[in-house]
Amino acid sequence: MKNKIIFIIMLTAILFASCRKDLLSPQPQTQYQPSDAFSNPQRIEQEVRGLYSAVKSGQFYGGRYIIYNEVRGEDFLNNTQNGVTAFQTWNFTTT
């Protein structure tokens, strides 16, 4: 009998806790509305910095492809033999 009462109390608590409308569509904490994107100079600066950080990525438009073609040339000598300096590409052992 005691277990049945505890089960009913827990079930009731779960049902009442899950019926809150504000939990169904939460507002993201790290995003803002597109209409507020250019609302002040700080946000504009953050967006420009975000764009430039994406362009500086080595994967942007296959940027590593251009670098690896340079590494495979005759005038490049790899002294350190680690993966950061494209040793596998220089050695023609990429998978």
Side-chain angles (χ1 to χ4, degrees):
M1 183 72 177
K2 185 178 179 181
N3 288 340
K4 198 180 277 188
I5 293 173
I6 291 174
F7 177 73
I8 292 172
I9 291 173
M10 288 178 55
L11 184 63
T12 307
I14 290 171
L15 288 175
F16 282 117
S18 65
C19 292
R20 291 180 37 202
K21 294 285 185 184
D22 60 334
L23 295 178
L24 295 177
S25 57
Q27 294 294 325
Q29 299 294 323
T30 59
Q31 296 178 350
Y32 46 86
Q33 298 297 324
S35 59
D36 296 334
F38 301 107
S39 62
N40 58 33
Q42 289 81 18
R43 286 196 177 162
I44 295 171
E45 182 179 355
Q46 288 173 349
E47 290 183 20
V48 169
R49 288 178 186 261
L51 285 171
Y52 279 115
S53 69
V55 172
K56 289 185 340 185
S57 169
Q59 302 298 332
F60 184 73
Y61 281 136
R64 297 212 186 269
Y65 178 76
I66 297 168
I67 293 169
Y68 289 162
N69 279 326
E70 293 291 325
V71 167
R72 293 175 66 183
E74 297 175 352
D75 57 344
F76 183 82
L77 183 60
N78 193 328
N79 293 325
T80 59
Q81 298 181 2
N82 64 22
V84 177
T85 59
F87 177 69
Q88 291 178 340
T89 304
W90 177 73
N91 202 25
F92 293 97
T93 58
T94 56
T95 55

